[in-house]
């Protein structure tokens, strides 16, 4: 059985808006953007309080009422961080994730952290939808894109995650002991120079990238029994670079996905500058899935609410929109 924290129902902060009327919303948005200067407050109010499904309906109503594309109109009215947030909310989730992956691979440097964050935390169904959206939007498979933009073990991990073939079943105790043994061997590799590191790494990758979440939780428990160490701590100590980061993200996501995102949000606002891209990406992509759970983990770990952190770190309309998504103070 999963721990209560894991078994707890995942809850988003954004739901279907009661008494929803897509034509009415489309008209209100049109009015808000008509003439000189837009009524940003009205735009924010509508878009941050509707579910993604409802926003798609508003887009259709807008097109049939005015013969115009709502996304294009919004783009011409808002800019910067606010635009990134609002336009992100308007996209169907799989297309939004596909776009974030594409952006992470664009230009000179790859944003490995974004690739890891998305591919290590999505369900099989979500990954499959992202693959379809990527192909549809960029006329290239996600696998090809990852192949040409990453290399070595890191590439293999990402491509394995991007197939969306993680097992869905429960745990298998004998298999879990065997898997924990492989993990122990690869992570103790320094003491056994005779071991074939490459084949062990491949086996370890297969375990982390394809076993079901309940099974992996059992593997981690068996690993502790076997070695007296926590698998996450050991990976951090024994591995390095993007491969380490990818494995750590998978382990954290398996242990407690809302906590994984709470940590990412905290880091995006910690210190001098804000990492608006990460902050926006997580708030947009988790708002209908588990943002309330993330909020709970955030306040428990950092002794301040996500609401307070956002207030202390952002400003203006961007702040208002983030707080609307956050859905309240804890």
């Amino acid at each position: 059985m999963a721990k209560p924290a894991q078994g707890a129902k995942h809850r988003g902060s954004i739901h279907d808006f009661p008494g929803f009327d897509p034509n009415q919303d489309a008209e209100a948005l049109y009015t808000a953007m008509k003439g000189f200067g837009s009524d940003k407050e009205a735009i924010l109010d509508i878009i941050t309080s509707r579910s993604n499904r409802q926003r798609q309906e508003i887009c259709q109503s807008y097109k049939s009422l005015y013969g115009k594309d709502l996304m294009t109109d919004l783009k011409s009215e808002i800019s910067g961080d606010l635009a990134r947030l609002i336009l992100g909310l308007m996209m169907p989730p799989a297309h939004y994730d596909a776009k974030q992956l594409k952006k992470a691979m664009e230009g000179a440097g790859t944003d490995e952290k974004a690739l890891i964050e998305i591919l290590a935390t999505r369900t099989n169904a979500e990954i499959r939808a992202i693959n379809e959206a990527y192909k549809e939007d960029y006329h290239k498979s996600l696998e090809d894109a990852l192949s040409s933009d990453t290399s070595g073990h890191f590439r293999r991990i990402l491509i394995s995650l991007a197939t969306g073939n993680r097992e869905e079943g429960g745990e298998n105790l004998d298999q879990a002991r065997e898997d924990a043994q492989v993990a122990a061997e690869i992570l103790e590799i320094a003491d056994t120079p005779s071991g074939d590191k490459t084949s062990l790494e491949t086996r370890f990758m297969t375990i982390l990238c394809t076993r079901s979440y309940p099974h992996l939780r059992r593997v981690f428990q068996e690993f502790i029994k076997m070695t007296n160490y926590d698998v996450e701590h050991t990976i951090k100590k024994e591995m390095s670079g993007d491969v380490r980061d990818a494995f750590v993200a998978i382990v954290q996501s398996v242990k407690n996905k809302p906590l994984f995102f709470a940590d990412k949000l905290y880091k995006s606002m910690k210190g001098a500058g804000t990492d608006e891209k990460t902050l926006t990406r997580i708030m947009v992509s988790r708002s209908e899935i588990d943002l309330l759970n993330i909020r709970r983990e955030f306040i428990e770990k950092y002794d301040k609410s996500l609401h307070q952190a956002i207030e202390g770190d952002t400003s203006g309309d961007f702040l208002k929109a983030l707080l609307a998504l956050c859905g309240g103070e804890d």
Side-chain angles (χ1 to χ4, degrees):
M1 260 300 284
K3 301 199 298 289
Q6 282 301 341
K9 213 163 131 17
H10 280 170
R11 293 172 15 252
S13 57
I14 301 286
H15 309 280
D16 279 345
F17 187 75
F20 169 66
D21 179 343
N23 287 341
Q24 205 180 319
D25 284 347
E27 283 169 27
L29 286 169
Y30 183 75
T31 308
M33 294 189 282
K34 216 169 58 185
F36 184 73
S38 54
D39 179 356
K40 289 202 180 69
E41 206 125 309
I43 296 172
L44 293 190
D45 274 353
I46 294 171
I47 292 173
T48 58
S49 61
R50 306 299 186 262
S51 67
N52 194 277
R53 188 183 61 76
Q54 292 174 331
R55 294 180 206 123
Q56 304 314 315
E57 286 186 46
I58 297 171
C59 276
Q60 287 166 344
S61 293
Y62 195 89
K63 184 152 261 174
S64 56
L65 287 171
Y66 305 108
K68 299 172 80 177
D69 180 60
L70 177 55
M71 293 285 271
T72 309
D73 283 0
L74 284 167
K75 265 181 205 158
S76 63
E77 294 294 331
I78 51 180
S79 59
D81 294 325
L82 179 66
R84 202 184 286 135
L85 182 77
I86 294 297
L87 295 168
L89 288 169
M90 293 303 300
M91 296 179 79
H95 289 268
Y96 179 71
D97 278 346
K99 184 177 183 183
Q100 299 310 305
L101 290 168
K102 174 91 163 48
K103 280 190 132 93
M105 294 184 275
E106 266 171 5
T110 305
D111 181 353
E112 292 86 1
K113 285 189 168 49
L115 295 178
I116 293 168
E117 175 207 302
I118 295 169
L119 293 173
T121 58
R122 301 306 190 251
T123 63
N124 283 341
E126 287 165 343
I127 293 269
R128 286 176 200 143
I130 292 168
N131 275 295
E132 280 173 38
Y134 200 95
K135 189 115 207 191
E136 193 183 314
D137 295 345
Y138 307 113
H139 313 295
K140 182 180 188 174
S141 77
L142 175 57
E143 185 180 324
D144 286 348
L146 289 166
S147 266
S148 53
D149 205 69
T150 56
S151 60
H153 265 301
F154 184 54
R155 171 201 286 167
R156 289 165 62 192
I157 294 164
L158 293 181
I159 288 176
S160 178
L161 293 172
T163 56
N165 278 332
R166 189 177 286 288
E167 292 159 7
E168 304 265 0
E171 59 181 67
N172 169 339
L173 187 55
D174 292 338
Q175 177 74 66
R177 288 188 178 132
E178 213 175 289
D179 288 347
Q181 184 63 50
V182 171
E185 281 176 32
I186 178 69
L187 294 170
E188 296 285 299
I189 201 71
D191 312 328
T192 51
S194 57
D196 174 3
K197 191 158 183 184
T198 312
S199 71
L200 272 173
E201 274 188 356
T202 305
R203 282 176 69 192
F204 188 51
M205 179 189 94
T206 305
I207 292 164
L208 285 183
C209 295
T210 66
R211 302 280 195 257
S212 73
Y213 271 33
H215 179 80
L216 282 172
R217 276 180 216 126
R218 169 63 67 191
V219 173
F220 301 160
Q221 286 164 5
E222 292 301 317
F223 183 86
I224 291 177
K225 279 187 209 163
M226 221 173 262
T227 64
N228 286 326
Y229 287 110
D230 172 69
V231 74
E232 182 186 334
H233 173 80
T234 314
I235 291 170
K236 284 177 177 166
K237 198 170 126 248
E238 297 293 336
M239 297 186 146
S240 61
D242 297 330
V243 170
R244 180 194 65 186
D245 294 346
F247 283 156
V248 166
I250 295 168
V251 171
Q252 289 176 340
S253 179
V254 168
K255 283 181 177 175
N256 185 337
K257 201 179 283 188
L259 177 60
F260 170 81
F261 284 116
D263 285 339
K264 289 264 173 281
L265 285 170
Y266 180 76
K267 286 190 186 104
S268 75
M269 294 182 277
K270 195 176 108 221
T274 309
D275 174 0
E276 291 88 0
K277 283 184 181 153
T278 301
L279 176 57
T280 300
R281 187 174 58 240
I282 295 174
M283 294 296 286
V284 168
S285 63
R286 306 316 290 183
S287 58
E288 286 183 48
I289 300 177
D290 54 2
L291 195 54
L292 294 183
N293 308 72
I294 293 168
R295 262 171 47 184
R296 199 179 57 224
E297 297 292 349
F298 194 98
I299 195 163
E300 216 166 275
K301 180 160 178 184
Y302 297 110
D303 273 344
K304 69 166 162 183
S305 67
L306 178 56
H307 192 282
Q308 282 172 305
I310 291 169
E311 262 185 334
D313 212 70
T314 57
S315 59
D317 292 317
F318 183 51
L319 164 67
K320 281 184 201 152
L322 286 170
L323 290 183
L325 284 185
C326 184
E329 171 66 286
D330 292 297

